[in-house]
Amino acid sequence: MILEEQRFLHEDLERLEQGISDRVVEEPRQVRDRLNRDHQIAGFLDRIQSQSQRLLDIYKDTDGARSKEIQTISTGEPLSEFYRQLADIKSFHQRYPNEPVENLERAYKKRIPTEGDVVTSEIDNLFTGEEAYGRFLDLTGLHELYVNLPGIKRPSYLQYLDIFDLFTPPVCAIKRPDKLTDQYFSYVGQLAEYLESFMRRTRPLENVEQLFASFDTDFEKAWEANDIPGWKLEVTASGSGDGIWCADCEKDFANHNVYKNHLTGKKHIRAAELRAQRQAGAGADSNGSAKRSSNPLRLKERAIAEREHRVKRLAGAMTQERSDTRVNVERKQGMTERERQMELDALFTESASAAQQDEDSGDDSDGSEKIYNPLKLPLAWDGKPIPFWLYKLHGLGVEFPCEVCGNFVYMGRRAFDKHFNEARHIYGLKCLGITNTTLFREITGIEDALKLWDKIQREKKKGAKDEGGIVQMEDAEGNVMPEKVYYDLQKQGLL
């Protein structure tokens, strides 16, 4: 049955291509649906590769089974061979009567849920609630690990989002010997692993393995060139010159007795041993690359430096998600527990309504989608009306007209305050002959703006006239002063 398997693989490849084209044509509006579509396409592409490899193995015919089957069909009696294969098929189904038969026509078609069906997605279990289907990073657990590291000043979660990819002083207070602990090694490894997993989950159609390979290649080159920040081989160490410098602990001591006493401490002894091992590794590196892997301390430093380098590159590749995460955390910190719960309920309701709208759009021939918005609420980034509580919170129902902007109406105080620095309002003031626009904030009427501008011009002219009309007087000693001051001093007999 080699030829039947070959025909089945060809059909499977065609069905997979058709399934991919059906999904690429449609562009989902929801982030969840778009990511679910990308994961489905990625699964189809993986199956195409595996099925194509099986097909190539059949065409290679290393064991000669395909050639033997073709020869049997072409040279023997066709009907006898047909009845023989039919008997084999019947006997197989008699032995396994409940064996399911795969229907390729329905296997890769996009399923439209019917009424009462529970809508499930392939990505429902891939992301946490904080990640919001790949829109934000969830580094809360890693933040707890970071603040428990020795020598850390316990930054807030917002501060940690800005510094989690910085491993060199002055941002990172962990010294080089302290980075060799198992606690720090575990933290950096978990951070790199999470960022890799997040990129794989959010970018299923990209070749992330090639990107990770480029990170490893860049690290190898930088390590060979001794160009990794914070992990360069030590050559010389010197203090600030104000006291006694301890090269092992990398500290300055102003008092000689304090320096002498600290030499017997456990911390100094351990730091001296680590520095001696690093210097031995530096000597091995100077002898040649063949001896570089002989120092276990240098190997551990290399493993930690590789993870730090990967974290930096991954964070640089996900700058948009990082900035969105910071904005989302700041927004949630200003919300009450009740508002967070309402937002979570709205998210689940939105997912259910999106599935219902997909069903309705499949039933409609024209594909038009109607959004139920009886209160005329503004639309959010996803094209859906914002929640009514958010509408009331920002005061978006209050109208603020501006005559300078051509009687344009701004909804909400925030948009009204923001428009004074926008091009529309500045252009309206310049059309009235007003050049200094910074003094006209909160002024929306044309008449009020003209009156204020005339008053400013009059005061400016008056001030220039007063400065020009002052008569200067000079006394016998050559001191110059205004005329009024001169006569006052003269009447008092001081001149």
Side-chain angles (χ1 to χ4, degrees), residues 18 27 29 43 51 126 185 247 266 360 431 438 494:
Q18 184 62 38
E27 184 64 27
R29 302 180 63 180
Q51 297 291 70
L126 291 180
F185 182 79
K266 294 181 179 179
D360 296 339
C431 291
T438 57
L494 298 177

Side-chain angles (χ1 to χ4, degrees), residues 85-300:
Q85 294 186 5
L86 181 60
D88 293 340
I89 294 174
K90 287 182 178 181
S91 63
F92 175 83
H93 285 285
Q94 286 176 357
R95 291 194 305 270
Y96 308 101
N98 298 325
E99 182 73 16
V101 179
E102 186 176 4
N103 188 358
L104 295 180
E105 187 176 358
R106 299 178 54 188
Y108 308 118
K109 277 189 176 181
K110 188 176 181 182
R111 296 180 178 86
I112 300 176
T114 58
E115 185 176 358
D117 290 348
V118 179
V119 180
T120 59
S121 177
E122 297 180 4
I123 63 170
D124 287 340
N125 298 326
L126 291 180
F127 297 96
T128 63
E130 187 70 22
E131 290 174 338
Y133 296 111
R135 293 175 55 202
F136 312 118
L137 297 170
D138 186 7
L139 300 176
T140 52
L142 294 166
H143 173 248
E144 292 294 331
L145 294 177
Y146 181 78
V147 297
N148 290 321
L149 293 175
I152 295 298
K153 297 182 180 179
R154 295 184 174 272
S156 64
Y157 185 55
L158 273 177
Q159 295 173 341
Y160 176 73
L161 291 174
D162 295 331
I163 65 172
F164 73 84
D165 60 334
L166 301 177
F167 301 100
T168 54
V171 179
C172 182
I174 304 177
K175 295 182 179 180
R176 182 170 175 175
D178 296 334
K179 289 184 177 182
L180 300 178
T181 59
D182 295 338
Q183 185 179 2
Y184 182 81
F185 182 79
S186 175
Y187 160 72
V188 179
Q190 292 183 35
L191 180 58
E193 183 180 356
Y194 171 76
L195 294 178
E196 288 182 9
S197 172
F198 186 83
M199 180 171 285
R200 284 193 176 96
R201 288 177 289 153
T202 55
R203 304 178 184 182
L205 296 181
E206 295 185 12
N207 191 0
V208 293
E209 299 298 335
Q210 183 179 1
L211 182 65
F212 297 157
S214 66
F215 294 166
D216 295 338
T217 303
D218 295 342
F219 172 76
E220 292 289 342
K221 294 180 180 178
W223 185 263
E224 294 294 332
N226 195 25
D227 196 21
I228 301 295
W231 298 100
K232 297 180 180 179
L233 292 174
E234 297 178 352
V235 181
T236 56
S238 61
S240 59
D242 298 335
I244 303 174
W245 171 255
C246 179
D248 298 329
C249 301
E250 299 180 358
K251 290 176 63 178
D252 264 328
F253 294 90
N255 193 331
H256 180 73
N257 292 329
V258 176
Y259 170 75
K260 187 176 180 181
N261 291 329
H262 111 280
L263 293 177
T264 58
K266 294 181 179 179
K267 188 175 181 181
H268 173 79
I269 294 174
R270 180 172 177 272
E273 293 176 355
L274 292 175
R275 184 167 180 265
Q277 294 179 14
R278 287 198 298 271
Q279 289 178 348
D285 287 348
S286 62
N287 294 332
S289 59
K291 299 180 181 180
R292 290 183 181 180
S293 60
S294 60
N295 189 5
L297 179 63
R298 191 60 177 167
L299 288 176
K300 191 170 185 179

Side-chain angles (χ1 to χ4, degrees), residues 295-313:
N295 189 5
L297 179 63
R298 191 60 177 167
L299 288 176
K300 191 170 185 179
E301 289 182 347
R302 177 192 175 93
I304 298 175
E306 190 272 335
R307 284 160 175 78
E308 290 182 353
H309 180 268
R310 177 160 291 200
V311 169
K312 293 178 184 177
R313 298 295 300 272

